[in-house]
Amino acid sequence: MSNETSPTPPNTGQVIAQDIAAADAIITPWITTLNPAIGSALHLALKLLSVAEPAVYTAIASLIQGTPLTPEQDAAIKAAATKLQNPEQYFA
Amino acid sequence: MNKKVKYLIPLVALALIGCAGFVNTAKKTLSVSSTLADGAMQTYAADWKDRTNRLGDTPALESERSNIMVCSRKVGAGIALANKAVDDYSAAAGTNAPNKVVVNALITTVVSDVGGFAAYITALTGKTNFNASPFSPLP
């Protein structure tokens, strides 16, 4: 019998930490391209956000990095707005 | 979503809109906001149906649902208005096209409203995972 143990899967906290580290790698260099006064204030706000709402922080990293919306994503904004204005649909 | 974050997110969104590619970032902010609001509404509807099945369709539940639907209509109208403003700005449609300040204000209002809407639904249902971002799956 082998003494090798299978690697322990990362727990939720580790996954969040990895996501934040990946987001940091995108956000931190971008911050340095800004006006220093704006950049330092924004960096502080983003750091607070990374602790309070990691998912929003990683979404912002995607926002900075990403390409323009696809036509489907653009259409989805209108579709969501229409559905939200007709909330009865959610209860159908 | 706590109060600090509720106010922090619009500030960050505003700063991003001011700093990054304007139309692209505005559209992505609206995309994230609309997905969050839609997800929150889906979460609420599922939770409301569950409670109605268990408790019966009480006046209190109907009143609660009615309030949420008012909020949903307001949020949806705000998203539609801001989205049209970004499209008009992008196309520079005539002399009545909104300027950056107006578009920024509309988007900031949308983000703030969606934050409040999500916080309200979180308070009612105890659920926070609304699959907010179409760009990055939530952990």
Side-chain angles (χ1 to χ4, degrees):
Chain A
M1 187 188 289
S2 168
N3 287 330
E4 285 182 14
T5 54
S6 58
T8 309
N11 61 35
T12 305
Q14 288 170 325
V15 171
I16 290 172
Q18 285 166 4
D19 286 349
I20 288 178
D24 274 338
I26 295 163
I27 289 173
T28 304
W30 177 73
I31 290 281
T32 63
T33 66
L34 305 177
N35 173 307
I38 295 171
S40 60
L42 189 58
H43 201 202
L44 179 62
L46 285 167
K47 279 291 171 195
L48 288 171
L49 195 61
S50 74
V51 175
E53 287 286 328
V56 177
Y57 186 67
T58 54
I60 285 171
S62 300
L63 203 65
I64 293 166
Q65 187 186 40
T67 52
L69 294 189
T70 64
E72 291 77 19
Q73 287 173 323
D74 196 17
I77 298 173
K78 280 185 186 168
T82 302
K83 197 173 172 191
L84 286 161
Q85 289 178 88
N86 297 281
E88 297 82 3
Q89 292 178 33
Y90 291 98
F91 300 91
Chain B
M1 190 180 290
N2 65 33
K3 274 188 181 172
K4 275 185 188 169
V5 174
K6 183 183 162 190
Y7 295 111
L8 190 59
I9 290 174
L11 286 175
V12 171
L14 188 63
L16 287 174
I17 290 165
C19 297
F22 182 72
V23 170
N24 186 26
T25 311
K27 277 285 182 183
K28 288 194 170 187
T29 305
L30 286 174
S31 182
V32 172
S33 300
S34 60
T35 307
L36 175 61
D38 181 54
M41 198 57 193
Q42 286 179 30
T43 297
Y44 175 75
D47 185 80
W48 185 88
K49 285 177 188 170
D50 178 55
R51 282 185 289 150
T52 305
N53 283 338
R54 285 187 285 110
L55 306 171
D57 192 0
T58 65
L61 279 172
E62 270 308 320
S63 171
E64 180 192 288
R65 182 172 78 143
S66 177
N67 285 337
I68 285 286
M69 290 205 293
V70 169
C71 296
S72 177
R73 289 189 190 99
K74 185 187 175 210
V75 166
I79 291 169
L81 186 64
N83 191 43
K84 184 179 182 313
V86 176
D87 285 342
D88 287 351
Y89 174 85
S90 177
T95 53
N96 289 327
N99 63 28
K100 253 187 191 182
V101 175
V102 172
V103 177
N104 263 335
L106 287 170
I107 291 176
T108 304
T109 303
V110 164
V111 174
S112 179
D113 283 352
V114 170
F117 187 54
Y120 186 25
I121 287 178
T122 299
L124 286 173
T125 66
K127 297 182 176 75
T128 56
N129 186 343
F130 304 138
N131 193 21
S133 171
F135 309 109
S136 161
L138 288 179

